PDB file of all heavy atoms in Angstrom:
ATOM      1  N   GLU A  14       0.813  -1.199   0.018  1.00 84.00           N
ATOM      2  CA  GLU A  14       0.040   0.015  -0.014  1.00 84.00           C
ATOM      3  C   GLU A  14       0.878   1.257   0.003  1.00 84.00           C
ATOM      4  O   GLU A  14       0.611   2.197  -0.752  1.00 84.00           O
ATOM      5  CB  GLU A  14      -0.914   0.005   1.216  1.00 84.00           C
ATOM      6  CG  GLU A  14      -1.856   1.162   1.245  1.00 84.00           C
ATOM      7  CD  GLU A  14      -2.807   1.119   2.481  1.00 84.00           C
ATOM      8  OE1 GLU A  14      -2.862   0.058   3.124  1.00 84.00           O
ATOM      9  OE2 GLU A  14      -3.406   2.184   2.780  1.00 84.00           O
ATOM     10  N   LYS A  15       1.885   1.283   0.849  1.00 84.00           N
ATOM     11  CA  LYS A  15       2.810   2.452   0.887  1.00 84.00           C
ATOM     12  C   LYS A  15       3.552   2.589  -0.384  1.00 84.00           C
ATOM     13  O   LYS A  15       3.782   3.690  -0.881  1.00 84.00           O
ATOM     14  CB  LYS A  15       3.748   2.319   2.072  1.00 84.00           C
ATOM     15  CG  LYS A  15       3.074   2.526   3.431  1.00 84.00           C
ATOM     16  CD  LYS A  15       4.108   2.592   4.554  1.00 84.00           C
ATOM     17  CE  LYS A  15       3.398   2.900   5.858  1.00 84.00           C
ATOM     18  NZ  LYS A  15       4.352   3.013   6.977  1.00 84.00           N
ATOM     19  N   SER A  16       3.964   1.450  -1.006  1.00 90.00           N
ATOM     20  CA  SER A  16       4.722   1.501  -2.255  1.00 90.00           C
ATOM     21  C   SER A  16       3.895   2.045  -3.387  1.00 90.00           C
ATOM     22  O   SER A  16       4.420   2.813  -4.230  1.00 90.00           O
ATOM     23  CB  SER A  16       5.282   0.141  -2.581  1.00 90.00           C
ATOM     24  OG  SER A  16       6.228  -0.331  -1.596  1.00 90.00           O
ATOM     25  N   ARG A  17       2.625   1.653  -3.480  1.00 90.00           N
ATOM     26  CA  ARG A  17       1.746   2.145  -4.541  1.00 90.00           C
ATOM     27  C   ARG A  17       1.595   3.673  -4.356  1.00 90.00           C
ATOM     28  O   ARG A  17       1.632   4.413  -5.275  1.00 90.00           O
ATOM     29  CB  ARG A  17       0.355   1.498  -4.427  1.00 90.00           C
ATOM     30  CG  ARG A  17       0.349   0.090  -5.063  1.00 90.00           C
ATOM     31  CD  ARG A  17      -1.058  -0.399  -5.199  1.00 90.00           C
ATOM     32  NE  ARG A  17      -1.655  -0.703  -3.914  1.00 90.00           N
ATOM     33  CZ  ARG A  17      -1.633  -1.917  -3.342  1.00 90.00           C
ATOM     34  NH1 ARG A  17      -1.014  -2.925  -3.945  1.00 90.00           N
ATOM     35  NH2 ARG A  17      -2.212  -2.144  -2.152  1.00 90.00           N
ATOM     36  N   ARG A  18       1.375   4.093  -3.085  1.00 86.00           N
ATOM     37  CA  ARG A  18       1.212   5.527  -2.830  1.00 86.00           C
ATOM     38  C   ARG A  18       2.528   6.287  -3.246  1.00 86.00           C
ATOM     39  O   ARG A  18       2.463   7.380  -3.873  1.00 86.00           O
ATOM     40  CB  ARG A  18       0.988   5.753  -1.351  1.00 86.00           C
ATOM     41  CG  ARG A  18       0.906   7.178  -0.873  1.00 86.00           C
ATOM     42  CD  ARG A  18       1.113   7.303   0.572  1.00 86.00           C
ATOM     43  NE  ARG A  18       2.449   6.956   0.984  1.00 86.00           N
ATOM     44  CZ  ARG A  18       2.853   6.777   2.255  1.00 86.00           C
ATOM     45  NH1 ARG A  18       1.954   6.901   3.241  1.00 86.00           N
ATOM     46  NH2 ARG A  18       4.100   6.482   2.575  1.00 86.00           N
ATOM     47  N   ASN A  19       3.688   5.709  -2.932  1.00 90.00           N
ATOM     48  CA  ASN A  19       4.941   6.380  -3.105  1.00 90.00           C
ATOM     49  C   ASN A  19       5.391   6.448  -4.564  1.00 90.00           C
ATOM     50  O   ASN A  19       6.028   7.450  -5.065  1.00 90.00           O
ATOM     51  CB  ASN A  19       6.063   5.782  -2.298  1.00 90.00           C
ATOM     52  CG  ASN A  19       5.919   5.932  -0.825  1.00 90.00           C
ATOM     53  OD1 ASN A  19       5.049   6.778  -0.366  1.00 90.00           O
ATOM     54  ND2 ASN A  19       6.624   5.258  -0.014  1.00 90.00           N
ATOM     55  N   LEU A  20       5.089   5.405  -5.339  1.00 93.00           N
ATOM     56  CA  LEU A  20       5.657   5.272  -6.658  1.00 93.00           C
ATOM     57  C   LEU A  20       5.226   6.420  -7.568  1.00 93.00           C
ATOM     58  O   LEU A  20       6.018   6.941  -8.338  1.00 93.00           O
ATOM     59  CB  LEU A  20       5.271   3.946  -7.299  1.00 93.00           C
ATOM     60  CG  LEU A  20       5.969   3.640  -8.631  1.00 93.00           C
ATOM     61  CD1 LEU A  20       7.474   3.650  -8.506  1.00 93.00           C
ATOM     62  CD2 LEU A  20       5.479   2.286  -9.131  1.00 93.00           C
ATOM     63  N   SER A  21       3.993   6.788  -7.537  1.00 90.00           N
ATOM     64  CA  SER A  21       3.517   7.884  -8.447  1.00 90.00           C
ATOM     65  C   SER A  21       4.211   9.210  -8.066  1.00 90.00           C
ATOM     66  O   SER A  21       4.578   9.988  -9.009  1.00 90.00           O
ATOM     67  CB  SER A  21       1.970   8.039  -8.357  1.00 90.00           C
ATOM     68  OG  SER A  21       1.592   8.395  -7.019  1.00 90.00           O
ATOM     69  N   VAL A  22       4.440   9.451  -6.814  1.00 91.00           N
ATOM     70  CA  VAL A  22       5.110  10.644  -6.389  1.00 91.00           C
ATOM     71  C   VAL A  22       6.562  10.585  -6.885  1.00 91.00           C
ATOM     72  O   VAL A  22       7.119  11.609  -7.339  1.00 91.00           O
ATOM     73  CB  VAL A  22       5.040  10.868  -4.858  1.00 91.00           C
ATOM     74  CG1 VAL A  22       5.777  12.170  -4.450  1.00 91.00           C
ATOM     75  CG2 VAL A  22       3.578  10.959  -4.408  1.00 91.00           C
ATOM     76  N   ILE A  23       7.218   9.456  -6.678  1.00 94.00           N
ATOM     77  CA  ILE A  23       8.630   9.299  -7.100  1.00 94.00           C
ATOM     78  C   ILE A  23       8.787   9.523  -8.572  1.00 94.00           C
ATOM     79  O   ILE A  23       9.719  10.237  -9.047  1.00 94.00           O
ATOM     80  CB  ILE A  23       9.173   7.885  -6.705  1.00 94.00           C
ATOM     81  CG1 ILE A  23       9.192   7.757  -5.176  1.00 94.00           C
ATOM     82  CG2 ILE A  23      10.505   7.628  -7.313  1.00 94.00           C
ATOM     83  CD1 ILE A  23       9.427   6.352  -4.683  1.00 94.00           C
ATOM     84  N   GLU A  24       7.890   8.921  -9.431  1.00 94.00           N
ATOM     85  CA  GLU A  24       7.973   9.122 -10.873  1.00 94.00           C
ATOM     86  C   GLU A  24       7.820  10.550 -11.201  1.00 94.00           C
ATOM     87  O   GLU A  24       8.518  11.093 -12.083  1.00 94.00           O
ATOM     88  CB  GLU A  24       6.947   8.248 -11.537  1.00 94.00           C
ATOM     89  CG  GLU A  24       7.070   6.703 -11.326  1.00 94.00           C
ATOM     90  CD  GLU A  24       8.179   6.137 -12.131  1.00 94.00           C
ATOM     91  OE1 GLU A  24       9.062   6.881 -12.725  1.00 94.00           O
ATOM     92  OE2 GLU A  24       8.229   4.884 -12.252  1.00 94.00           O
ATOM     93  N   ARG A  25       6.898  11.282 -10.592  1.00 91.00           N
ATOM     94  CA  ARG A  25       6.772  12.688 -10.866  1.00 91.00           C
ATOM     95  C   ARG A  25       7.977  13.507 -10.557  1.00 91.00           C
ATOM     96  O   ARG A  25       8.453  14.329 -11.284  1.00 91.00           O
ATOM     97  CB  ARG A  25       5.511  13.204 -10.071  1.00 91.00           C
ATOM     98  CG  ARG A  25       5.196  14.696 -10.394  1.00 91.00           C
ATOM     99  CD  ARG A  25       4.289  15.252  -9.300  1.00 91.00           C
ATOM    100  NE  ARG A  25       5.006  15.403  -8.014  1.00 91.00           N
ATOM    101  CZ  ARG A  25       4.417  15.488  -6.862  1.00 91.00           C
ATOM    102  NH1 ARG A  25       3.129  15.383  -6.776  1.00 91.00           N
ATOM    103  NH2 ARG A  25       5.147  15.674  -5.773  1.00 91.00           N
ATOM    104  N   GLU A  26       8.577  13.182  -9.339  1.00 91.00           N
ATOM    105  CA  GLU A  26       9.720  13.895  -8.920  1.00 91.00           C
ATOM    106  C   GLU A  26      10.933  13.624  -9.777  1.00 91.00           C
ATOM    107  O   GLU A  26      11.768  14.489 -10.021  1.00 91.00           O
ATOM    108  CB  GLU A  26      10.051  13.528  -7.466  1.00 91.00           C
ATOM    109  CG  GLU A  26       9.072  14.092  -6.457  1.00 91.00           C
ATOM    110  CD  GLU A  26       9.048  15.631  -6.489  1.00 91.00           C
ATOM    111  OE1 GLU A  26      10.099  16.266  -6.092  1.00 91.00           O
ATOM    112  OE2 GLU A  26       8.033  16.202  -6.853  1.00 91.00           O
ATOM    113  N   LEU A  27      11.048  12.398 -10.279  1.00 92.00           N
ATOM    114  CA  LEU A  27      12.153  12.077 -11.215  1.00 92.00           C
ATOM    115  C   LEU A  27      12.065  12.838 -12.538  1.00 92.00           C
ATOM    116  O   LEU A  27      13.073  13.286 -13.086  1.00 92.00           O
ATOM    117  CB  LEU A  27      12.163  10.576 -11.503  1.00 92.00           C
ATOM    118  CG  LEU A  27      13.084   9.711 -10.616  1.00 92.00           C
ATOM    119  CD1 LEU A  27      12.843   8.227 -10.913  1.00 92.00           C
ATOM    120  CD2 LEU A  27      14.548  10.054 -10.840  1.00 92.00           C
ATOM    121  N   GLU A  28      10.831  13.046 -12.949  1.00 92.00           N
ATOM    122  CA  GLU A  28      10.668  13.877 -14.156  1.00 92.00           C
ATOM    123  C   GLU A  28      11.058  15.311 -13.933  1.00 92.00           C
ATOM    124  O   GLU A  28      11.692  15.978 -14.788  1.00 92.00           O
ATOM    125  CB  GLU A  28       9.200  13.792 -14.646  1.00 92.00           C
ATOM    126  CG  GLU A  28       8.810  12.502 -15.269  1.00 92.00           C
ATOM    127  CD  GLU A  28       7.395  12.494 -15.822  1.00 92.00           C
ATOM    128  OE1 GLU A  28       6.846  13.597 -15.975  1.00 92.00           O
ATOM    129  OE2 GLU A  28       6.893  11.458 -16.198  1.00 92.00           O
ATOM    130  N   LEU A  29      10.686  15.810 -12.762  1.00 89.00           N
ATOM    131  CA  LEU A  29      10.990  17.210 -12.436  1.00 89.00           C
ATOM    132  C   LEU A  29      12.471  17.421 -12.022  1.00 89.00           C
ATOM    133  O   LEU A  29      13.052  18.452 -12.312  1.00 89.00           O
ATOM    134  CB  LEU A  29      10.092  17.698 -11.289  1.00 89.00           C
ATOM    135  CG  LEU A  29       8.626  17.763 -11.559  1.00 89.00           C
ATOM    136  CD1 LEU A  29       7.817  18.084 -10.286  1.00 89.00           C
ATOM    137  CD2 LEU A  29       8.340  18.875 -12.644  1.00 89.00           C
ATOM    138  N   HIS A  30      13.057  16.400 -11.358  1.00 89.00           N
ATOM    139  CA  HIS A  30      14.421  16.537 -10.778  1.00 89.00           C
ATOM    140  C   HIS A  30      15.250  15.321 -11.157  1.00 89.00           C
ATOM    141  O   HIS A  30      15.608  14.539 -10.237  1.00 89.00           O
ATOM    142  CB  HIS A  30      14.355  16.757  -9.303  1.00 89.00           C
ATOM    143  CG  HIS A  30      13.483  17.923  -8.853  1.00 89.00           C
ATOM    144  ND1 HIS A  30      13.797  19.185  -9.061  1.00 89.00           N
ATOM    145  CD2 HIS A  30      12.213  17.846  -8.274  1.00 89.00           C
ATOM    146  CE1 HIS A  30      12.874  19.948  -8.581  1.00 89.00           C
ATOM    147  NE2 HIS A  30      11.885  19.200  -8.130  1.00 89.00           N
ATOM    148  N   PRO A  31      15.590  15.108 -12.382  1.00 91.00           N
ATOM    149  CA  PRO A  31      16.381  13.919 -12.748  1.00 91.00           C
ATOM    150  C   PRO A  31      17.771  13.822 -12.137  1.00 91.00           C
ATOM    151  O   PRO A  31      18.359  12.787 -12.045  1.00 91.00           O
ATOM    152  CB  PRO A  31      16.469  13.978 -14.294  1.00 91.00           C
ATOM    153  CG  PRO A  31      16.225  15.439 -14.615  1.00 91.00           C
ATOM    154  CD  PRO A  31      15.266  15.929 -13.551  1.00 91.00           C
ATOM    155  N   GLU A  32      18.245  14.983 -11.619  1.00 91.00           N
ATOM    156  CA  GLU A  32      19.550  15.019 -10.968  1.00 91.00           C
ATOM    157  C   GLU A  32      19.471  14.423  -9.598  1.00 91.00           C
ATOM    158  O   GLU A  32      20.585  14.109  -9.040  1.00 91.00           O
ATOM    159  CB  GLU A  32      20.042  16.502 -10.898  1.00 91.00           C
ATOM    160  CG  GLU A  32      19.382  17.369  -9.847  1.00 91.00           C
ATOM    161  CD  GLU A  32      17.948  17.848 -10.212  1.00 91.00           C
ATOM    162  OE1 GLU A  32      17.483  17.554 -11.324  1.00 91.00           O
ATOM    163  OE2 GLU A  32      17.364  18.530  -9.351  1.00 91.00           O
ATOM    164  N   GLN A  33      18.337  14.192  -9.002  1.00 90.00           N
ATOM    165  CA  GLN A  33      18.224  13.585  -7.688  1.00 90.00           C
ATOM    166  C   GLN A  33      18.299  12.070  -7.788  1.00 90.00           C
ATOM    167  O   GLN A  33      17.246  11.401  -7.812  1.00 90.00           O
ATOM    168  CB  GLN A  33      16.917  14.047  -6.994  1.00 90.00           C
ATOM    169  CG  GLN A  33      16.961  15.571  -6.714  1.00 90.00           C
ATOM    170  CD  GLN A  33      15.717  16.083  -5.995  1.00 90.00           C
ATOM    171  OE1 GLN A  33      14.941  15.241  -5.477  1.00 90.00           O
ATOM    172  NE2 GLN A  33      15.545  17.348  -5.864  1.00 90.00           N
ATOM    173  N   VAL A  34      19.500  11.564  -7.888  1.00 94.00           N
ATOM    174  CA  VAL A  34      19.707  10.161  -8.248  1.00 94.00           C
ATOM    175  C   VAL A  34      19.170   9.231  -7.113  1.00 94.00           C
ATOM    176  O   VAL A  34      18.869   8.050  -7.388  1.00 94.00           O
ATOM    177  CB  VAL A  34      21.181   9.831  -8.510  1.00 94.00           C
ATOM    178  CG1 VAL A  34      21.582  10.540  -9.776  1.00 94.00           C
ATOM    179  CG2 VAL A  34      22.066  10.241  -7.341  1.00 94.00           C
ATOM    180  N   GLU A  35      19.061   9.732  -5.871  1.00 93.00           N
ATOM    181  CA  GLU A  35      18.541   8.879  -4.830  1.00 93.00           C
ATOM    182  C   GLU A  35      17.102   8.373  -5.103  1.00 93.00           C
ATOM    183  O   GLU A  35      16.676   7.341  -4.644  1.00 93.00           O
ATOM    184  CB  GLU A  35      18.581   9.561  -3.456  1.00 93.00           C
ATOM    185  CG  GLU A  35      17.631  10.691  -3.224  1.00 93.00           C
ATOM    186  CD  GLU A  35      18.246  12.020  -3.654  1.00 93.00           C
ATOM    187  OE1 GLU A  35      19.252  12.009  -4.356  1.00 93.00           O
ATOM    188  OE2 GLU A  35      17.630  13.091  -3.300  1.00 93.00           O
ATOM    189  N   LEU A  36      16.397   9.161  -5.955  1.00 94.00           N
ATOM    190  CA  LEU A  36      15.055   8.740  -6.375  1.00 94.00           C
ATOM    191  C   LEU A  36      15.057   7.446  -7.167  1.00 94.00           C
ATOM    192  O   LEU A  36      14.070   6.718  -7.163  1.00 94.00           O
ATOM    193  CB  LEU A  36      14.379   9.857  -7.163  1.00 94.00           C
ATOM    194  CG  LEU A  36      14.041  11.159  -6.436  1.00 94.00           C
ATOM    195  CD1 LEU A  36      13.554  12.236  -7.326  1.00 94.00           C
ATOM    196  CD2 LEU A  36      12.970  10.932  -5.345  1.00 94.00           C
ATOM    197  N   LEU A  37      16.127   7.231  -7.882  1.00 96.00           N
ATOM    198  CA  LEU A  37      16.284   5.909  -8.556  1.00 96.00           C
ATOM    199  C   LEU A  37      16.215   4.757  -7.570  1.00 96.00           C
ATOM    200  O   LEU A  37      15.616   3.684  -7.849  1.00 96.00           O
ATOM    201  CB  LEU A  37      17.590   5.879  -9.382  1.00 96.00           C
ATOM    202  CG  LEU A  37      17.718   6.844 -10.490  1.00 96.00           C
ATOM    203  CD1 LEU A  37      19.113   6.875 -11.010  1.00 96.00           C
ATOM    204  CD2 LEU A  37      16.719   6.533 -11.624  1.00 96.00           C
ATOM    205  N   PHE A  38      16.901   4.894  -6.422  1.00 96.00           N
ATOM    206  CA  PHE A  38      16.810   3.835  -5.412  1.00 96.00           C
ATOM    207  C   PHE A  38      15.417   3.713  -4.904  1.00 96.00           C
ATOM    208  O   PHE A  38      14.904   2.559  -4.820  1.00 96.00           O
ATOM    209  CB  PHE A  38      17.763   4.159  -4.272  1.00 96.00           C
ATOM    210  CG  PHE A  38      17.444   3.377  -3.042  1.00 96.00           C
ATOM    211  CD1 PHE A  38      17.843   2.030  -2.962  1.00 96.00           C
ATOM    212  CD2 PHE A  38      16.731   3.964  -1.966  1.00 96.00           C
ATOM    213  CE1 PHE A  38      17.538   1.291  -1.850  1.00 96.00           C
ATOM    214  CE2 PHE A  38      16.434   3.206  -0.848  1.00 96.00           C
ATOM    215  CZ  PHE A  38      16.826   1.820  -0.806  1.00 96.00           C
ATOM    216  N   TYR A  39      14.755   4.789  -4.582  1.00 95.00           N
ATOM    217  CA  TYR A  39      13.397   4.690  -4.003  1.00 95.00           C
ATOM    218  C   TYR A  39      12.407   4.139  -5.000  1.00 95.00           C
ATOM    219  O   TYR A  39      11.482   3.387  -4.637  1.00 95.00           O
ATOM    220  CB  TYR A  39      12.977   6.056  -3.480  1.00 95.00           C
ATOM    221  CG  TYR A  39      13.712   6.526  -2.277  1.00 95.00           C
ATOM    222  CD1 TYR A  39      14.466   7.757  -2.327  1.00 95.00           C
ATOM    223  CD2 TYR A  39      13.799   5.775  -1.148  1.00 95.00           C
ATOM    224  CE1 TYR A  39      15.146   8.166  -1.263  1.00 95.00           C
ATOM    225  CE2 TYR A  39      14.483   6.170  -0.032  1.00 95.00           C
ATOM    226  CZ  TYR A  39      15.172   7.391  -0.071  1.00 95.00           C
ATOM    227  OH  TYR A  39      15.898   7.790   1.044  1.00 95.00           O
ATOM    228  N   ARG A  40      12.609   4.471  -6.277  1.00 96.00           N
ATOM    229  CA  ARG A  40      11.762   3.838  -7.321  1.00 96.00           C
ATOM    230  C   ARG A  40      11.979   2.318  -7.405  1.00 96.00           C
ATOM    231  O   ARG A  40      11.040   1.590  -7.402  1.00 96.00           O
ATOM    232  CB  ARG A  40      12.019   4.449  -8.651  1.00 96.00           C
ATOM    233  CG  ARG A  40      11.151   3.861  -9.802  1.00 96.00           C
ATOM    234  CD  ARG A  40      11.367   4.553 -11.115  1.00 96.00           C
ATOM    235  NE  ARG A  40      12.714   4.282 -11.667  1.00 96.00           N
ATOM    236  CZ  ARG A  40      13.193   4.809 -12.807  1.00 96.00           C
ATOM    237  NH1 ARG A  40      12.433   5.618 -13.518  1.00 96.00           N
ATOM    238  NH2 ARG A  40      14.409   4.508 -13.196  1.00 96.00           N
ATOM    239  N   GLY A  41      13.243   1.922  -7.362  1.00 97.00           N
ATOM    240  CA  GLY A  41      13.528   0.499  -7.368  1.00 97.00           C
ATOM    241  C   GLY A  41      12.986  -0.244  -6.216  1.00 97.00           C
ATOM    242  O   GLY A  41      12.457  -1.355  -6.309  1.00 97.00           O
ATOM    243  N   HIS A  42      13.016   0.398  -5.038  1.00 94.00           N
ATOM    244  CA  HIS A  42      12.534  -0.256  -3.807  1.00 94.00           C
ATOM    245  C   HIS A  42      11.032  -0.395  -3.871  1.00 94.00           C
ATOM    246  O   HIS A  42      10.481  -1.459  -3.596  1.00 94.00           O
ATOM    247  CB  HIS A  42      12.916   0.682  -2.614  1.00 94.00           C
ATOM    248  CG  HIS A  42      12.571   0.087  -1.277  1.00 94.00           C
ATOM    249  ND1 HIS A  42      13.221  -1.015  -0.782  1.00 94.00           N
ATOM    250  CD2 HIS A  42      11.683   0.475  -0.300  1.00 94.00           C
ATOM    251  CE1 HIS A  42      12.717  -1.313   0.385  1.00 94.00           C
ATOM    252  NE2 HIS A  42      11.844  -0.454   0.691  1.00 94.00           N
ATOM    253  N   SER A  43      10.312   0.615  -4.348  1.00 95.00           N
ATOM    254  CA  SER A  43       8.846   0.507  -4.496  1.00 95.00           C
ATOM    255  C   SER A  43       8.477  -0.490  -5.529  1.00 95.00           C
ATOM    256  O   SER A  43       7.505  -1.283  -5.338  1.00 95.00           O
ATOM    257  CB  SER A  43       8.255   1.908  -4.928  1.00 95.00           C
ATOM    258  OG  SER A  43       8.403   2.803  -3.816  1.00 95.00           O
ATOM    259  N   LEU A  44       9.174  -0.521  -6.654  1.00 96.00           N
ATOM    260  CA  LEU A  44       8.856  -1.510  -7.716  1.00 96.00           C
ATOM    261  C   LEU A  44       9.084  -2.925  -7.180  1.00 96.00           C
ATOM    262  O   LEU A  44       8.281  -3.835  -7.525  1.00 96.00           O
ATOM    263  CB  LEU A  44       9.771  -1.261  -8.889  1.00 96.00           C
ATOM    264  CG  LEU A  44       9.476  -0.043  -9.750  1.00 96.00           C
ATOM    265  CD1 LEU A  44      10.626   0.268 -10.663  1.00 96.00           C
ATOM    266  CD2 LEU A  44       8.133  -0.190 -10.496  1.00 96.00           C
ATOM    267  N   ALA A  45      10.099  -3.174  -6.369  1.00 94.00           N
ATOM    268  CA  ALA A  45      10.332  -4.524  -5.835  1.00 94.00           C
ATOM    269  C   ALA A  45       9.134  -4.878  -4.949  1.00 94.00           C
ATOM    270  O   ALA A  45       8.663  -6.052  -4.983  1.00 94.00           O
ATOM    271  CB  ALA A  45      11.650  -4.537  -5.052  1.00 94.00           C
ATOM    272  N   ASN A  46       8.731  -4.005  -4.073  1.00 92.00           N
ATOM    273  CA  ASN A  46       7.626  -4.278  -3.182  1.00 92.00           C
ATOM    274  C   ASN A  46       6.317  -4.634  -3.979  1.00 92.00           C
ATOM    275  O   ASN A  46       5.413  -5.317  -3.436  1.00 92.00           O
ATOM    276  CB  ASN A  46       7.377  -3.138  -2.245  1.00 92.00           C
ATOM    277  CG  ASN A  46       8.540  -2.980  -1.252  1.00 92.00           C
ATOM    278  OD1 ASN A  46       9.218  -3.916  -0.938  1.00 92.00           O
ATOM    279  ND2 ASN A  46       8.698  -1.755  -0.763  1.00 92.00           N
ATOM    280  N   LEU A  47       6.191  -4.102  -5.153  1.00 94.00           N
ATOM    281  CA  LEU A  47       5.022  -4.272  -6.003  1.00 94.00           C
ATOM    282  C   LEU A  47       5.183  -5.487  -6.914  1.00 94.00           C
ATOM    283  O   LEU A  47       4.306  -5.745  -7.750  1.00 94.00           O
ATOM    284  CB  LEU A  47       4.743  -3.014  -6.768  1.00 94.00           C
ATOM    285  CG  LEU A  47       4.301  -1.815  -5.950  1.00 94.00           C
ATOM    286  CD1 LEU A  47       4.157  -0.573  -6.768  1.00 94.00           C
ATOM    287  CD2 LEU A  47       2.973  -2.085  -5.224  1.00 94.00           C
ATOM    288  N   GLY A  48       6.314  -6.212  -6.834  1.00 94.00           N
ATOM    289  CA  GLY A  48       6.512  -7.388  -7.619  1.00 94.00           C
ATOM    290  C   GLY A  48       6.977  -7.111  -9.034  1.00 94.00           C
ATOM    291  O   GLY A  48       7.056  -8.069  -9.836  1.00 94.00           O
ATOM    292  N   ARG A  49       7.366  -5.939  -9.354  1.00 96.00           N
ATOM    293  CA  ARG A  49       7.882  -5.597 -10.705  1.00 96.00           C
ATOM    294  C   ARG A  49       9.415  -5.776 -10.689  1.00 96.00           C
ATOM    295  O   ARG A  49      10.155  -4.790 -10.590  1.00 96.00           O
ATOM    296  CB  ARG A  49       7.419  -4.171 -11.066  1.00 96.00           C
ATOM    297  CG  ARG A  49       5.905  -4.155 -11.225  1.00 96.00           C
ATOM    298  CD  ARG A  49       5.354  -2.746 -11.147  1.00 96.00           C
ATOM    299  NE  ARG A  49       5.784  -1.885 -12.274  1.00 96.00           N
ATOM    300  CZ  ARG A  49       5.391  -0.625 -12.469  1.00 96.00           C
ATOM    301  NH1 ARG A  49       4.475  -0.103 -11.617  1.00 96.00           N
ATOM    302  NH2 ARG A  49       5.838   0.110 -13.404  1.00 96.00           N
TER     303      ARG A  49
END
């Protein structure tokens, strides 16, 4: 549930701030929790 909530925000922030590479980690973490 938390991963679904977070992923859309992370994807939006990556589009706005691609230089914030830590978002790549958080995206990967959420995707793993969702089975992707």
Side-chain angles (χ1 to χ4, degrees):
E14 183 179 346
K15 288 188 177 183
S16 296
R17 282 191 290 267
R18 176 199 68 188
N19 291 349
L20 186 58
S21 62
V22 180
I23 293 168
E24 296 285 14
R25 183 197 70 200
E26 288 298 294
L27 266 172
E28 288 186 10
L29 294 172
H30 306 287
E32 75 285 357
Q33 295 183 10
V34 294
E35 69 271 14
L36 291 171
L37 295 169
F38 163 76
Y39 291 122
R40 180 176 67 182
H42 188 65
S43 293
L44 288 167
N46 291 334
L47 294 171
R49 296 161 62 177

